[in-house]
Amino acid sequence: MRATMKRRALVFLKNEEDGSSYYRLYQYLRGKPCRRVNMTPTWVYRLFYGRRYGKAVKFALKLLMGGVTFGTTLGAMALDALVWKSEVVIVNRRFFPRACPPVLAGLLKRYLRGKKVYWDFDDNIALDGELSKREKAVLEAEAAVITVTSEYLRESLGEAARAKVTLLPTTDLAFWGEETEELLAGKGRDSAVMRLLWLGTRDNLKYLEALLPALDQAAETIARDTDKRLELQVVSNAALTAETKYLRLRNIRWSRERGVEALREAEIGLMPLRESAYTLGKGGFKAIQYMSAGVVPILSPVGYNKTVIEDGVSGYFAAESGDFAARIGELAANPDKLRRMARAARERFATRFSPEEIQAFWNQAIGESE
């Protein structure tokens, strides 16, 4: 827990190292006059997400993480009710993971009564069971403002709750203050290597893995036609283990600093998905993050992704694996086009996904005018 005494605002984060917590809330509210609670403490968050485990160990760690999360969350609610007495509560995703018995639902409803509640989420968390039906009903009723990424997620709410929704994209402040020319300086300049990037969590590696045969074929074609080596950096909390003949595959253990470094180096960013009820709720963040660094995104036209780029201008849509390979080959053979698209991607980020408006929104939410 971290605290300042200037405002009576309390922010419940899953964990500040979690992607949703960090990019949706923490990057805007760190250093601001509000208290922050990691509902899942960092030590248990790192323990669970730090490596892959066998089924038995993973199950035991999941129980541990759930128990600690429930205890930490209830403790923070009690402290707030008795001592902190916040006026504004902002919650990232949910309070209680996967289960909310009637007694907890009653406590939560009583705790939130009289507070201005902001509920923020960026995935279809009710569909995969992260958010229980009982807690969803409480949050829909008690929230004054619900912030989500897309109309699809708005429609996942009850009719009365939809009127409370504000659409906020998930974006990244890391490169916001940097000059575009500096970010674009190396794009398309290296005649020996074409640099691809996939940045994400282990749960989504399956989409990239399905793409590897096409990428390996593209690497062979590019090497033959342009003498360039195709390199794919995978920045994740788990390694992608695969054999490739022509594609150079580099696994980089995720940290925020390593992710930023990889974004600086990359020229093309990949975001493959398969359409499902869950992926339709995704907010296109990976592509937005690529664009923030002047990296040309190639992405599956699934759900919100369809609104992120202008196809052929600031990125490419690729419906099939072969489409990804074709677009990569096209840009490898046309470095001038790659640089034009990199500039357009950066410009679209600045105009369509500017962090300034989101920063202003959260400043106002906690009562800070600037």
Side-chain angles (χ1 to χ4, degrees), residues 45-66:
Y45 183 88
R46 290 178 177 174
L47 181 65
F48 183 79
Y49 291 105
R51 51 173 292 188
R52 287 183 172 177
Y53 299 98
K55 289 183 179 179
V57 174
K58 186 175 181 179
F59 179 73
L61 288 175
K62 188 175 288 188
L63 290 177
L64 172 65
M65 184 169 68

Side-chain angles (χ1 to χ4, degrees), residues 217-363:
Q217 182 61 53
E220 180 184 16
T221 302
I222 290 168
R224 183 190 65 225
D225 295 345
T226 69
D227 290 327
K228 290 184 179 181
R229 183 177 73 250
L230 193 62
E231 177 182 287
L232 171 62
Q233 291 191 8
V234 178
V235 182
S236 181
N237 58 346
L240 178 61
T241 55
E243 293 292 330
T244 55
K245 187 174 181 181
Y246 301 98
L247 176 71
R248 183 185 179 192
L249 180 61
R250 292 180 57 203
N251 282 293
I252 299 172
R253 186 69 184 175
W254 182 89
S255 71
R256 208 162 309 283
E257 295 76 17
R258 290 175 188 146
V260 168
E261 182 180 347
L263 283 161
R264 289 190 189 281
E265 296 176 352
E267 296 169 298
I268 297 173
L270 306 177
M271 189 181 178
L273 287 175
R274 288 193 299 272
E275 185 168 315
S276 68
Y278 186 76
T279 59
L280 285 172
K282 284 187 169 293
F285 173 63
K286 195 182 275 85
I288 295 168
Q289 192 175 32
Y290 295 149
M291 292 193 296
S292 75
V295 176
V296 179
I298 304 179
L299 63 160
S300 300
V302 173
Y304 187 77
N305 278 8
K306 296 176 182 178
T307 71
V308 172
I309 64 162
E310 298 169 288
D311 189 30
V313 178
S314 50
Y316 280 124
F317 291 129
E320 305 291 341
S321 296
D323 299 331
F324 278 90
R327 294 310 191 187
I328 293 166
E330 179 182 336
L331 293 175
N334 296 276
D336 288 341
K337 184 171 188 177
L338 185 145
R339 286 191 289 272
R340 287 196 303 272
M341 293 185 73
R343 184 178 301 279
R346 171 71 175 177
E347 290 172 355
R348 184 162 177 81
F349 168 76
T351 56
R352 178 74 171 76
F353 302 104
S354 165
E356 287 184 338
E357 295 179 6
I358 304 171
Q359 181 71 75
F361 177 90
W362 291 118
N363 286 352

Side-chain angles (χ1 to χ4, degrees), residues 47-243:
L47 181 65
F48 183 79
Y49 291 105
R51 51 173 292 188
R52 287 183 172 177
Y53 299 98
K55 289 183 179 179
V57 174
K58 186 175 181 179
F59 179 73
L61 288 175
K62 188 175 288 188
L63 290 177
L64 172 65
M65 184 169 68
V68 172
T69 299
F70 272 75
T72 302
T73 304
L74 286 169
M77 289 168 55
L79 274 171
D80 190 34
L82 297 172
V83 181
W84 299 337
K85 299 186 182 300
S86 63
E87 301 164 295
V88 174
V89 167
I90 302 170
V91 59
N92 170 233
R93 299 176 77 88
R94 79 298 180 271
F95 286 95
F96 306 117
R98 301 193 175 274
C100 186
V103 64
L104 284 187
L107 284 172
L108 182 60
K109 190 170 185 178
R110 182 173 182 180
Y111 165 67
L112 295 177
R113 190 173 296 134
K115 301 179 184 296
K116 185 169 185 180
V117 180
Y118 290 77
W119 175 28
D120 176 81
F121 64 99
D122 59 338
D123 284 315
N124 199 340
I125 53 177
L127 183 68
D128 72 349
E130 180 182 343
L131 174 71
S132 68
K133 291 181 180 179
R134 191 173 285 114
E135 183 175 343
K136 181 174 182 281
V138 172
L139 289 172
E140 286 188 359
E142 299 301 324
V145 181
I146 303 171
T147 52
V148 299
T149 54
S150 66
E151 289 289 349
Y152 183 85
L153 291 181
R154 186 205 297 262
E155 292 302 311
S156 73
L157 300 167
E159 185 175 354
R162 293 172 200 164
K164 304 176 182 181
V165 167
T166 295
L167 298 179
L168 289 183
T170 310
T171 185
D172 189 354
L173 282 168
F175 301 99
W176 182 241
E178 298 196 24
E179 294 293 332
T180 296
E181 296 306 319
E182 293 180 7
L183 285 172
L184 301 182
K187 311 301 182 188
R189 305 293 182 187
D190 191 334
S191 60
V193 182
M194 167 67 72
R195 295 178 174 85
L196 309 179
L197 173 64
W198 185 91
L199 199 160
T201 63
R202 63 187 180 193
D203 291 340
N204 294 316
L205 274 171
K206 57 191 175 185
Y207 304 119
L208 179 63
E209 189 171 15
L211 196 60
L212 282 181
L215 296 183
D216 203 29
Q217 182 61 53
E220 180 184 16
T221 302
I222 290 168
R224 183 190 65 225
D225 295 345
T226 69
D227 290 327
K228 290 184 179 181
R229 183 177 73 250
L230 193 62
E231 177 182 287
L232 171 62
Q233 291 191 8
V234 178
V235 182
S236 181
N237 58 346
L240 178 61
T241 55
E243 293 292 330

